[in-house]
Amino acid sequence: MKNGLVMLLALALCATTALAHQGVKNPAVMARMHGMKQISDNVKMLGTMAKGQIAFDAATAQNAARAIARHSAESVALFTAPETDPKSEAREVIWTEFDDFSAKARDLETLANDLANTLNSLDDVKAAMKPLGASCKACHSVYRD
Ligand code: HEC
């Protein structure tokens, strides 16, 4: 019974992920979107903490920053091949400017790694939201539709 419930929850979680990238057929595109989703989920969690909707917890905040750094680092490899899909929002210029694209992914990695060592108070989390948002925008404004 208990296992059944765990299975059901796992299925529900998968379904949510699948829905976020509905209709994506290329597994390589799906994988890089999934990585972005992980980054976004962790940023959202920090946002709820910054707003006081969940209690500040240094370990939780630092782990989220670490996860953002890890997924940002992985995105370089996930985006290396010029894979496409009708549902993809990636611009082709990624692959003519891949050095710059990678540098932007590494900027987010560096920022998030710094945060993983310095998020020690609610004020730290509040102050982190702006540079985090700027880092996403720096890449999305050039490389995402
Ligand atoms: C180095 C560039 C880069 C950085 C930095 C970056 N992104 Fe992205 N992101 C992309 C690209 C390119 C896509 C489009 C991928 C596709 O559709 O194939 C994307 C897609 C997404 C998506 C949509 C995923 C989906 O399910 O379709 C979300 C959400 C997202 N990014 C969140 C973020 C957040 C939040 C940050 C900052 C904390 C961030 N990204 C930083 C390049 C980046």
Side-chain angles (χ1 to χ4, degrees), residues 36-127:
M36 279 293 150
K37 177 81 171 40
Q38 303 303 308
I39 292 176
S40 155
D41 285 352
N42 280 286
V43 171
K44 278 187 194 149
M45 198 279 291
L46 288 173
T48 15
M49 203 180 266
K51 285 188 207 141
Q53 288 165 350
I54 54 167
F56 170 75
D57 177 72
T60 307
Q62 291 170 7
N63 280 338
R66 213 162 277 126
I68 294 166
R70 192 177 63 244
H71 288 292
S72 191
E74 283 171 9
S75 67
V76 175
L78 289 172
F79 277 93
T80 299
E83 299 281 352
T84 56
D85 187 280
K87 296 274 177 181
S88 173
E89 295 173 324
R91 293 193 185 150
E92 275 177 30
V93 65
I94 291 173
W95 295 286
T96 51
E97 304 288 340
F98 199 71
D99 285 350
D100 179 67
F101 180 86
S102 313
K104 286 183 164 55
R106 276 195 298 274
D107 285 347
L108 175 57
E109 181 194 355
T110 306
L111 169 69
N113 269 328
D114 285 349
L115 293 173
N117 297 322
T118 55
L119 291 179
N120 293 313
S121 71
L122 178 58
D123 279 344
D124 292 339
V125 178
K126 286 183 182 165

